[in-house]
Amino acid sequence: MNKIILHIDLNQFFVRCEQLKNPKLEGKPVIIGHSGRSGIVSTCSYEARKYGVSSGMPTFKALRCCPNAILIDCDYEYYKRKSDEFFAFLRRYTEKIEIASIDECYLDFTSILSDVSDQYNYLLNLQLTLRKQTGLNCSIGVAPTKFLAKMGSDLKKPNGITFLFGDDIQKKLYPLPIGAFFGIGKKSAPRLEQIGIKTIGDLANAIEHGDENTKRQLGRLYWTADDWIHGRGNDELDLTDWDPKSLGHSTTLDKDCSTFEEISSALSELCSMVSSRAKRYKKRGLTLSLVVKDTGFKLHNKTITLKDPTNEESIIYDEACRLYKENYEGLVIRLIGVTLGKFIVLKEEKEATQMNLWNYEQFEKNDKTNKLIKDLNSLLSKPLIKKASDLKGDKNGNK
DNA sequence: TCTGGGGTCCTAGGACCC
DNA sequence: TCTGGGGTCCTAGGACCC
């Protein structure tokens, strides 16, 4: 029997969060972005999109397109809290939920919807209740697989509900441009268009009737897309907590740099962030990568395999310095990044439970405060306060 | 005023072993 | 005494997504 998989996507999530903080923003062109030397648009309201503003666009350019737009800096802490509310709301329906990102997830609604006669109305009610209780709007895709559910939620925004079963696929998916296919981006789309595949229907046709040459040109798509299009893709949700395969940080430098002296403090900061996050996740990496972006925006990456898996800041920093000096000293770069990968889970750490991201934020603050307290106590040679959590209640407000 | 930062997955080529 | 070939691991680079 086919499963009933939902993909739920929050509409203009960051913008919506800002509107909830400040209702006067509703109906106005709003841009959520990074300020600074290399600010880009993270997301924007539909009103701003009308002026040609889009995600990824440099902020200054976006403001040129839409001078009246209201520019707001990202407030991730608040967005994370609203995101937690969203997932908590959905967990009241089912625990079969795979979180895909801060504002989207997959749910297995097979047992919930199988016996429901008016599924559309049921989901409409879910949307309205979500809106009433959290203020958030969402689009829902309903299909037998994750791929189709994801495609479905994208079809009608905002507040859409789209079913993709049987004939729906041909009717609703085939006319879409090939770039709308999840996984085909701005590099692959033009390549496919060049060989006559302009729509998803063209792709389905090419897979079914294409000759050897087409087959070769499609590569991996030939073997995977057929199943995806015809509802035979993956319908198994990953219910486990996120288990990172790599952890890294990167930053665009204040100015272009070409010497170790210029980048050393940024590098040190990045290594410290990578180390503390790896420790929080109880991960020790066996590989360390140093990535730089040159002034032509080309990325270069050097990876080394360490002698022993580590998450120690001093080792990460030493190795990162070595990688920099041996490979990039003299090259003019605008961005530098450090990533720890190939995690080895140590036996004694296997059982450790993971905190959710919101707790990490608290942990990080406490971490800094604990250090201050430690320094203070050592100055006073007599402990006054033991740890940060003693200063105030936990996140539930309990003392 | 010229383009973020966090990830995952895939591919291709080289090294190395048998 | 003229370059096989399968398997695996490592690294670099790229595509894609949010």
Side-chain angles (χ1 to χ4, degrees), chain A residues 255-379:
Chain A
K255 60 176 180 62
D256 294 345
C257 298
S258 62
T259 66
F260 178 71
E261 286 65 37
E262 287 176 301
I263 58 100
S264 64
S265 68
L267 190 59
S268 159
E269 175 89 357
L270 291 169
C271 293
S272 163
M273 287 157 73
V274 169
S275 161
S276 63
R277 213 145 62 98
K279 284 177 181 170
R280 267 180 262 144
Y281 278 95
K282 305 209 182 299
K283 296 287 185 190
R284 288 170 202 266
L286 198 57
T287 60
L288 186 75
S289 306
L290 188 73
V291 66
V292 299
K293 191 187 269 179
D294 65 26
T295 48
F297 286 83
K298 199 171 157 53
L299 288 166
H300 306 265
N301 176 36
K302 287 285 172 194
T303 302
I304 48 159
T305 299
L306 305 166
K307 277 211 295 285
D308 299 299
T310 192
N311 54 22
E312 282 309 317
E313 184 179 342
S314 60
I315 299 175
I316 294 171
Y317 181 65
D318 287 348
E319 294 296 334
C321 289
R322 199 161 63 83
L323 275 172
Y324 175 81
K325 286 175 181 165
E326 284 175 5
N327 298 285
Y328 301 126
E329 181 104 70
L331 178 69
V332 184
I333 58 168
R334 57 175 290 115
L335 168 144
I336 189 160
V338 177
T339 298
L340 198 59
K342 214 160 211 192
F343 295 131
I344 307 290
V345 181
L346 301 182
K347 246 187 188 162
E348 67 266 27
E349 290 174 346
K350 235 175 188 167
E351 298 302 314
T353 52
Q354 291 199 348
M355 297 178 278
N356 71 33
L357 274 173
W358 170 241
N359 285 340
Y360 293 150
E361 298 288 339
Q362 299 300 318
F363 188 92
E364 182 142 87
K365 279 180 201 149
N366 280 359
D367 219 25
K368 282 178 191 154
T369 319
N370 282 334
K371 192 179 175 305
L372 279 173
I373 293 165
K374 216 171 127 191
D375 294 347
L376 188 67
N377 283 337
S378 69
L379 273 176

Side-chain angles (χ1 to χ4, degrees), chain A residues 93-104:
Chain A
Y93 288 82
T94 180
E95 280 298 323
K96 290 182 181 171
I97 173 167
E98 175 181 330
I99 294 171
S101 77
I102 193 165
D103 64 350
E104 60 174 309

Side-chain angles (χ1 to χ4, degrees), chain A residues 8 24 30 37 41 48 53 64 71 113 132 153 161 163 169 217 235 237 244 262 309 334-335 338 348-349 352 357:
Chain A
I8 305 190
K24 284 184 187 159
V30 174
R37 144 165 133 120
V41 175
V53 179
R64 210 187 279 156
L71 178 64
L113 285 181
K132 206 168 148 193
S153 73
I161 298 172
F163 289 80
I169 300 170
Q217 284 173 310
D235 63 0
L237 304 194
E262 287 176 301
R334 57 175 290 115
L335 168 144
V338 177
E348 67 266 27
E349 290 174 346
L357 274 173

Side-chain angles (χ1 to χ4, degrees), chain A residues 178-229:
Chain A
I178 192 64
F181 194 96
F182 183 59
I184 295 178
K186 60 179 194 290
K187 295 280 179 182
S188 306
R191 268 211 308 269
L192 290 168
E193 279 163 9
Q194 228 169 15
I195 58 169
I197 298 173
K198 295 187 168 63
T199 64
I200 293 178
D202 291 340
L203 177 63
N205 186 53
I207 289 169
E208 205 167 332
H209 305 292
D211 52 19
E212 278 302 308
N213 191 35
T214 314
K215 194 170 152 179
R216 195 173 41 78
Q217 284 173 310
L218 288 177
R220 200 169 48 91
L221 261 185
Y222 180 85
W223 302 103
T224 53
D226 190 41
D227 275 353
W228 292 351
I229 293 171

Side-chain angles (χ1 to χ4, degrees), chain A residues 141-155:
Chain A
V142 195
T145 65
K146 286 163 68 176
F147 172 79
L148 288 174
K150 167 82 183 164
M151 294 295 298
S153 73
D154 250 1
L155 278 175

